[in-house]
Amino acid sequence: MSAAGFLEELLDGADVEWEPLGEVTQPTANIKWSQADGVYQYIDLTSVDIKTKRVTEASEITAETAPSRAQKLVKENDVIFATTRPAQQRYCLIDSELAGNVASTGYCVLRAKKDQVLPKWILHWLGTTEFKNYVEENQSGAAYPAISDGKVKAFKIPIPCPDDPEKSLAIQGEIVRILDTFTELTAELTAGLAAELAQRKKQYSHYRDQLLTFNEDEVEWKTLGDIATLRRGRVMSKGYLRDNAGVYPVYSSQTANNGMIGQIDTFDFDGEYVSWTTDGANAGTVFYRNEKFSITNVCGVIKENGTCPLDLKFLSFWLSTEAKKHVYSGMGNPKLMSHQVEKIPIPIPFPDDPKISLEAQKRVAAILDKLDALTTSLTEILPREIELREKQYAYYRDQLLSFPKPDAEAF
């Protein structure tokens, strides 16, 4: 049965009235610090986790230490909603542990009239697309857009069977039960997928470290500057990239999009290279390249010089962890310049037999390539799967709460 059909059957022809939140909630009060003593928990604007809808941390305050925004006394089963960006859209149900404590003035406190509405009925309505759109339309202020408590309480929610409170609360309770189950299942699935992703990354790191750990008698250590040639890129402005647009990639210091910042109609390098980022937060980031491409002045490329057997993909896996250890972070601007890269030690297996050495390096690189491809694939798939499950939950929640309205009026 569809959500709409389920809702129709549940209502069984019963009336539905739309009431402002202010009509189905009770007045609340602020704390009087001049009369207060003891220790309270303070719920700051950022205390509520957007995803879990739970208070993740609360600080202890007293009348002497309370910030001026600590004003709103809360009770168990109050629903609090943050009205000011960037904390806006944080909302949760106050549990017994936080009852009697103090929330920031940036929260609108909604205390249900329990003979008319369930606290969780209000809670789930604050998560709907309809309420989110309402907040967007009714907030004000440019730097920190906010919606007033009065506007929040003017938002209308449906009250099924308003003339029969017992039946009304039963219908609300049944929908709340379903939404709670959806919430729990979605949270479990999201947590499971996130754990799977973390496990696969940990597994990749384990095998990479195992494959790139060598006994001293297995390899000969050489500095990179002795076995490779290093080159830096050139300055390319946005205007240059725009005026010379083409099909050949230009790589810079970023990590997104494989490091590519644009494409031009010429190229500076053709073939196998290892590139690294020289400046900024991503200094020491390494990519394997095998194509026609160019790099900017905050990148460098490495090419074997023929003095020693060196597989560049093997080198890229080695440098992917080793290069970061040589980044200089003085003066607040991380750097990994050519003279530092040249000093990085590189393990060369079977250095006296180039053929066997290259075979050994390629074997390690091939295994890591497969593991890396699998991990990268999961890294892309799992977050997308988590996003789809959250969207699916939001869709069914909105469907379950799509009560009939008396006309086309937008509340």
Side-chain angles (χ1 to χ4, degrees):
M1 181 185 296
S2 67
F6 171 79
L7 184 58
E8 188 175 339
E9 184 175 296
L10 193 64
L11 285 174
D12 192 24
D15 292 337
V16 175
E17 283 188 4
W18 290 77
E19 295 286 352
L21 281 170
E23 294 295 321
V24 294
T25 55
Q26 305 176 54
T28 59
N30 288 353
I31 190 170
K32 295 180 180 177
W33 285 114
S34 59
Q35 302 172 11
D37 56 13
V39 177
Y40 295 80
Q41 295 293 314
Y42 172 51
I43 305 169
D44 183 61
L45 274 175
T46 59
S47 301
V48 176
D49 184 274
I50 289 178
K51 285 190 175 296
T52 63
K53 308 291 183 289
R54 293 182 183 279
V55 175
T56 55
E57 61 177 0
S59 55
E60 290 188 347
I61 56 173
T62 64
E64 288 73 31
T65 63
S68 60
R69 293 175 63 85
Q71 295 291 333
K72 298 199 168 184
L73 276 172
V74 294
K75 295 182 177 179
E76 184 177 3
N77 287 324
D78 281 352
V79 176
I80 60 173
F81 173 77
T83 55
T84 303
R85 284 188 178 179
Q88 205 174 65
Q89 300 298 342
R90 294 174 190 262
Y91 62 94
C92 74
L93 190 72
I94 295 297
D95 61 21
S96 58
E97 292 185 2
L98 289 167
N101 288 297
V102 183
S104 170
T105 51
Y107 282 110
C108 176
V109 181
L110 299 167
R111 185 167 298 155
K113 292 179 178 175
K114 294 182 181 175
D115 59 341
Q116 298 180 35
V117 291
L118 298 175
K120 280 194 171 182
W121 187 245
I122 293 174
L123 182 79
H124 284 301
W125 267 96
L126 298 189
T128 60
T129 303
E130 186 171 335
F131 180 69
K132 187 175 182 180
N133 292 339
Y134 174 85
V135 172
E136 291 290 327
E137 294 166 0
N138 288 279
Q139 63 189 0
S140 58
Y144 295 98
I147 183 171
S148 68
D149 285 17
K151 284 286 187 183
V152 171
K153 292 182 179 180
F155 179 75
K156 292 181 178 180
I157 64 173
I159 307 297
C161 304
D163 298 328
D164 187 344
E166 185 176 350
K167 185 176 180 181
S168 178
L169 293 174
I171 292 174
Q172 294 174 40
E174 178 59 13
I175 294 177
V176 164
R177 183 189 66 77
I178 295 170
L179 290 175
D180 280 351
T181 302
F182 275 1
T183 302
E184 186 176 346
L185 290 175
T186 302
E188 287 180 0
L189 182 60
T190 301
L193 290 172
E196 176 69 16
L197 180 58
Q199 187 61 29
R200 295 287 79 77
K201 288 181 176 179
K202 185 178 179 181
Q203 188 180 46
Y204 169 74
S205 297
H206 170 77
Y207 285 114
R208 180 197 59 202
D209 293 346
Q210 289 289 312
L211 286 165
L212 295 177
T213 298
F214 302 97
N215 294 325
E216 288 301 318
D217 57 352
E218 293 177 332
V219 297
E220 182 177 345
W221 293 90
K222 293 180 177 293
T223 57
L224 186 59
D226 289 335
I227 59 175
T229 300
L230 282 66
R231 286 183 59 186
R232 293 286 302 279
R234 58 190 170 99
V235 174
M236 288 186 233
S237 66
K238 290 183 179 178
Y240 177 85
L241 295 174
R242 184 186 59 243
D243 295 340
N244 296 277
V247 298
Y248 301 109
V250 175
Y251 299 114
S252 189
S253 61
Q254 67 187 52
T255 56
N257 198 26
N258 204 32
M260 188 176 75
I261 61 164
Q263 292 173 293
I264 58 177
D265 55 3
T266 58
F267 55 87
D268 296 335
F269 305 98
D270 181 6
E272 261 194 308
Y273 290 85
V274 174
S275 71
W276 89 93
T277 302
T278 62
D279 290 71
N282 299 317
T285 301
V286 170
F287 287 99
Y288 170 80
R289 314 287 186 194
N290 190 3
E291 58 188 330
K292 295 173 180 175
F293 67 98
S294 300
I295 56 172
T296 70
N297 60 312
V298 289
C299 266
V301 291
I302 304 167
K303 185 80 170 175
E304 75 275 19
N305 62 15
T307 61
C308 178
L310 181 61
D311 180 76
L312 287 175
K313 185 158 275 188
F314 170 80
L315 178 65
S316 71
F317 281 117
W318 174 259
L319 291 179
S320 66
T321 57
E322 189 68 18
K324 290 282 187 183
K325 301 175 185 175
H326 299 264
V327 172
Y328 174 70
S329 299
M331 307 296 288
N333 183 25
K335 287 182 179 295
L336 184 62
M337 310 312 288
S338 297
H339 69 279
Q340 295 164 311
V341 178
E342 288 176 342
K343 297 176 183 176
I344 295 177
I346 309 297
I348 303 297
F350 309 105
D352 297 330
D353 190 327
K355 182 181 178 182
I356 295 178
S357 179
L358 281 174
E359 287 176 353
Q361 293 177 46
K362 287 181 182 297
R363 186 164 56 250
V364 170
I367 296 171
L368 288 174
D369 222 14
K370 289 181 181 177
L371 288 171
D372 183 55
L374 178 60
T375 305
T376 300
S377 173
L378 287 171
T379 302
E380 293 171 353
I381 291 172
L382 292 181
R384 195 181 311 133
E385 184 66 21
I386 291 171
E387 183 182 355
L388 286 174
R389 295 288 76 77
E390 290 175 343
K391 284 184 177 178
Q392 185 182 46
Y393 164 74
Y395 170 78
Y396 283 112
R397 179 199 58 213
D398 288 353
Q399 288 292 306
L400 273 170
L401 295 175
S402 59
F403 282 80
K405 293 182 177 177
D407 50 40
E409 177 189 1
F411 296 126

